[in-house]
Amino acid sequence: MSNGKTVRQNLEIEINRLRDCIQDKLDDYMLREKSNNAMYIRTGKLQNSLKVDLTLVQVVNGVFQMKVEFDESGYHDSGDGIKGWDGNGDKVNTAYLFNYGYTVKKNVWFKNIKNFGWRKPGQFIEDGIAEFNKNNPLGIKVDIIKPNGYLV
């Protein structure tokens, strides 16, 4: 390319920059959450779970694809770190719940407790993408592929 780097090298640089933009927004979100919540003991695993696997570069229908994703270390067992509740044994996708928000549907004791029975969407993924797009010289299109989510 005109900057002396290969297409792959440029894509790797940009995908790492995208990861960094999302990471910055996640860090900001978690800092705000920490100051607003004394019910949880934070492990930091979610903030360390954002990964790019550069070996997974694919070309699909003439389009290069690379993934920025949260690995399994960002998941936790329901109830982990919560004072006074052992959870229900489910595995929780923390990134999904924090980014998209949730509302507990069951009539349980914590249903009306903010950030426990319900949470507003953090939108750190979308905010990170918006930050990335402010300077997107290669015109990379970023799509969010939501996992199946989590039944709350």
Side-chain angles (χ1 to χ4, degrees):
M1 295 183 73
S2 63
N3 63 2
K5 292 181 175 35
T6 66
V7 170
R8 181 183 174 103
Q9 288 170 325
N10 279 299
L11 285 173
E12 288 175 0
I13 289 167
E14 289 300 293
I15 203 73
N16 281 320
R17 190 172 67 80
L18 172 61
R19 182 208 54 226
D20 292 346
C21 288
I22 295 170
Q23 184 70 56
D24 287 346
K25 297 302 179 180
L26 172 59
D27 291 344
D28 291 346
Y29 173 78
M30 294 303 291
L31 186 61
R32 287 190 310 273
E33 287 299 301
K34 183 179 181 180
S35 64
N36 291 328
N37 195 339
M39 184 174 278
Y40 296 99
I41 300 166
R42 298 280 180 218
T43 64
K45 289 181 181 178
L46 173 60
Q47 286 175 270
N48 294 316
S49 69
L50 189 56
K51 304 288 185 235
V52 175
D53 186 346
L54 298 174
T55 64
L56 294 178
V57 177
Q58 306 177 67
V59 178
V60 178
N61 297 326
V63 176
F64 279 97
Q65 292 183 343
M66 299 174 96
K67 291 183 180 179
V68 175
E69 60 188 347
F70 293 89
D71 69 22
E72 289 291 320
S73 67
Y75 289 49
H76 66 81
D77 292 331
S78 174
D80 275 358
I82 300 171
K83 299 171 188 170
W85 188 57
D86 293 329
N88 61 9
D90 288 347
K91 190 62 95 174
V92 178
N93 180 340
T94 310
Y96 186 92
L97 291 178
F98 282 20
N99 192 67
Y100 298 108
Y102 61 88
T103 303
V104 171
K105 306 283 188 241
K106 296 178 181 177
N107 191 19
V108 290
W109 65 268
F110 54 83
K111 181 177 183 176
N112 296 316
I113 300 173
K114 182 180 179 183
N115 295 337
F116 190 43
W118 61 276
R119 176 181 297 276
K120 291 181 183 178
Q123 299 291 293
F124 48 83
I125 295 171
E126 291 78 0
D127 292 346
I129 292 169
E131 187 67 29
F132 172 84
N133 282 328
K134 287 180 182 178
N135 176 23
N136 189 355
L138 300 181
I140 294 172
K141 181 181 178 214
V142 179
D143 288 326
I144 297 174
I145 301 171
K146 290 183 183 179
N148 294 335
Y150 180 75
L151 179 62
V152 180

